Amino acid sequence: MHPSNEELQTSQEELQSVNEELNTLNAELSKKVDELELLYGDLQNFFQSTQIATVFLDRESRIARFTPAATAVFRLADGDVGRPLSDFAARFDAQDVPQEVTRVLETLVPVERTIGLADEKRSFLMRMNPYRTPSNVIAGVVVSFIDVTKLKETEAALRRAVEERERAERALREADQRKDAFLAVLSHELRNPLAPIRSSLHVIEHVPAGAAAAATAHEIIARQVGHLARLVDDLLDVTRIANGKLQVERRPLD
């Protein structure tokens, strides 16, 4: 029995509909491919241009790929793909880095710490994170190294500056204490001559001018005034020293 014209027409319409759906699906797939290609290009450019040294490890802690920055820092080459990270542990000043990779795989807890290079004065902030695929499968570990050498140097310089300031503050407090002690001694030394001067003046006021007691009183006053003058000169010398105005006269002595 031959199919009728209506059945043929219906089949043709169905085929045409399926063809249109396939064309639409093909256009959508082509669009997705273009988007994926653009995204892949973005990732490739980011991967090549990032200054962060990053190493991708598989579940066996073998190197899967790495950024160009890691090439410069850890002297990696294309032939190092597939080698275990433990082969490069000697580059770090901490030998437990491979064990930490294993710990991240087992616990899925990220690790962050500061490490240095064994043969260079450089410091890095190391971050380890589980590598998750889009389907949330743990495929390995991503290890990134951010150069913090300048930050560490700045922190060390800041610590030195703080320590220097603390030393200066201590020296200032000690100098202030010495000044207070000096003023206390000076006040006592300046007061000592006043008593004999006062007593001698009392004697002069109550004895005749030519009396021996008056002459002795004059000698006492002269001697104590000379002592006061020397104390004042010493005080002026201290002031000159503090102000950097003291002049030293050099001459030979026996």
Side-chain angles (χ1 to χ4, degrees), residues 55-57 61-64 66 70-71 73-98 115-119 145:
V55 179
F56 298 85
L57 306 173
S61 296
R62 293 188 298 259
I63 297 176
F66 47 84
T71 303
V73 173
F74 302 111
R75 301 170 188 166
L76 296 175
D78 292 340
D80 293 323
V81 173
R83 293 178 61 184
L85 183 65
S86 56
D87 288 357
F88 303 90
R91 287 281 293 156
F92 309 116
D93 61 2
Q95 298 300 312
D96 59 343
V97 173
I115 65 169
L117 297 183
D119 56 353
F145 301 88

Side-chain angles (χ1 to χ4, degrees), residues 48-67:
Q48 294 295 325
S49 62
T50 180
Q51 298 300 310
I52 299 176
T54 304
V55 179
F56 298 85
L57 306 173
D58 61 18
R59 293 190 60 85
E60 303 301 325
S61 296
R62 293 188 298 259
I63 297 176
R65 55 192 173 277
F66 47 84
T67 62

Side-chain angles (χ1 to χ4, degrees), residues 8 39 83-84 104-105 113 137 144 153 171 187 190 195 218 221 223 228:
L8 289 174
L39 179 60
R83 293 178 61 184
V104 171
L105 273 174
R113 58 178 290 194
V137 174
S144 61
E153 292 174 351
S187 300
L190 289 174
H218 275 289
I221 292 174
R223 185 167 59 252
L228 284 173

